[in-house]
């Protein structure tokens, strides 16, 4: 039975979980609407392990939410996990942020659109069936009234993630179901990470990079 540490930092939610054989049994997270992962992440990891009387040597692997998401959040999470994997000589597993997010939706039909807020009216999104099979790969797209129209005409579409807030101001189709106040969490990572662990689907610790989807653009400070 694989014991995994799972880390999610792709958004403002700093989230850490422990899972055994795909079942999450411990979780520590906090979404304070800001990015303070650098200060909190290692504290959360240490506390979670201590609270559950687990030594780092007992871990079979460490999983990271690979993105897309916040450039800063992903960098912090991936850097921390790569450091742990290297120091502890543990395998590194990457989990799609949007795929894990889709698992927060329980639907009997239709499709699930996992979406994360990007700049202005843009979102990062991927589409999954009700049983979490990928229907459309991750894309960066500008929202408009006819976005996702093909899927909306065929049945219910469940929108989840922090891109929902601006999506529901544009899409008014009766088949649209908006699930508010959901962020990616390490809670849903355990099952996906365990499947990869069983298949030895691991990353190269030295060369693994987050999935940013788009290049980071540094804005120049305004002249005073």
């Amino acid at each position: 039975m694989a014991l995994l540490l799972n880390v999610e930092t792709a958004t403002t939610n700093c989230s850490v979980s422990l899972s055994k054989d795909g079942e999450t049994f411990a979780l520590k997270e906090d979404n304070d609407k800001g990015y303070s992962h650098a200060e909190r992440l290692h504290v959360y990891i240490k506390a979670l392990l201590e609270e559950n009387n687990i030594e780092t040597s007992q871990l079979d692997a460490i999983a990271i939410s690979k993105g897309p998401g916040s450039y800063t959040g992903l960098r912090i999470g991936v850097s921390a996990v790569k450091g742990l994997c290297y120091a502890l000589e543990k395998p590194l597993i990457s989990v799609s942020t949007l795929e894990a997010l889709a698992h927060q939706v329980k639907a009997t039909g239709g499709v699930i659109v996992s979406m994360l807020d990007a700049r202005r009216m843009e979102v990062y999104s991927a589409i999954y069936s009700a049983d979490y099979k990928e229907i459309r790969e991750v894309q960066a797209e500008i929202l408009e009234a006819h976005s996702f129209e093909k899927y909306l005409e065929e049945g219910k579409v469940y929108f989840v993630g922090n891109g929902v807030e601006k999506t529901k101001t544009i899409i008014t189709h009766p088949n649209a179901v908006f699930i508010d106040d959901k962020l990616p969490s390490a809670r849903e990572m355990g099952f996906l990470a365990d499947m990869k662990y069983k298949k030895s689907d691991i990353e190269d610790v030295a060369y693994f990079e987050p999935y940013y989807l788009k290049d980071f653009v540094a804005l120049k400070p305004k002249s005073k």
Side-chain angles (χ1 to χ4, degrees):
M1 296 178 68
L3 177 62
L4 306 181
L5 172 68
N6 308 288
V7 175
E8 164 59 67
T9 59
T11 66
T12 52
N13 190 26
C14 184
S15 180
V16 181
S17 75
L18 288 167
S19 60
K20 184 176 289 186
D21 203 27
E23 295 288 334
T24 297
F25 65 88
L27 175 73
K28 185 174 288 292
E29 64 182 4
D30 180 31
N31 171 35
D32 64 1
K33 305 300 182 183
Y35 289 97
S36 54
H37 301 343
E39 293 81 12
R40 291 183 293 168
L41 181 56
H42 284 288
V43 175
Y44 282 11
I45 292 172
K46 183 174 185 291
L48 194 67
L49 292 171
E50 289 179 350
E51 289 167 7
N52 290 276
N53 299 310
I54 292 174
E55 300 290 335
T56 53
S57 60
Q58 295 176 263
L59 296 172
D60 291 296
I62 304 174
I64 183 67
S65 178
K66 68 178 181 179
S70 155
Y71 181 90
T72 301
L74 290 171
R75 285 302 311 171
I76 292 170
V78 169
S79 296
V81 167
K82 287 176 70 170
L84 287 171
C85 288
Y86 181 80
L88 300 172
E89 298 184 335
K90 301 294 182 181
L92 170 62
I93 298 170
S94 68
V95 173
S96 165
T97 302
L98 292 176
E99 183 179 3
L101 178 60
H103 280 257
Q104 294 191 29
V105 180
K106 308 302 178 186
T108 56
V111 300
I112 302 165
V113 178
S114 288
M115 50 169 45
L116 295 179
D117 192 11
R119 299 185 186 95
R120 300 181 179 86
M121 293 312 296
E122 188 174 31
V123 294
Y124 302 144
S125 69
I127 304 176
Y128 302 89
S129 64
D131 58 352
Y132 312 115
K133 300 294 190 298
E134 186 180 82
I135 295 174
R136 199 214 68 195
E137 74 283 358
V138 180
Q139 293 181 9
E141 56 194 308
I142 304 295
L143 291 171
E144 56 185 20
H146 298 293
S147 295
F148 310 104
E149 189 171 53
K150 169 189 171 184
Y151 304 98
L152 288 163
E153 290 298 328
E154 294 174 350
K156 293 291 184 183
V157 177
Y158 299 85
F159 294 92
V160 62
N162 64 1
V164 165
E165 186 174 353
K166 61 187 179 186
T167 302
K168 64 184 180 181
T169 66
I170 296 174
I171 296 177
T172 59
H173 197 284
N175 278 334
V177 180
F178 299 106
I179 302 172
D180 293 303
D181 302 320
K182 296 292 185 181
L183 289 173
S185 170
R187 182 190 295 106
E188 286 75 38
M189 289 179 62
F191 172 72
L192 297 171
D194 187 71
M195 288 196 299
K196 283 195 161 188
Y197 178 79
K198 288 175 178 175
K199 294 187 294 184
S200 297
D201 186 358
I202 61 175
E203 304 291 347
D204 186 313
V205 175
Y207 296 102
F208 176 73
E209 290 291 332
Y211 178 44
Y212 296 120
L213 188 59
K214 295 177 67 176
D215 292 334
F216 174 67
V217 179
L219 299 178
K220 294 181 178 179
K222 295 181 179 178
S223 300
K224 293 184 179 180

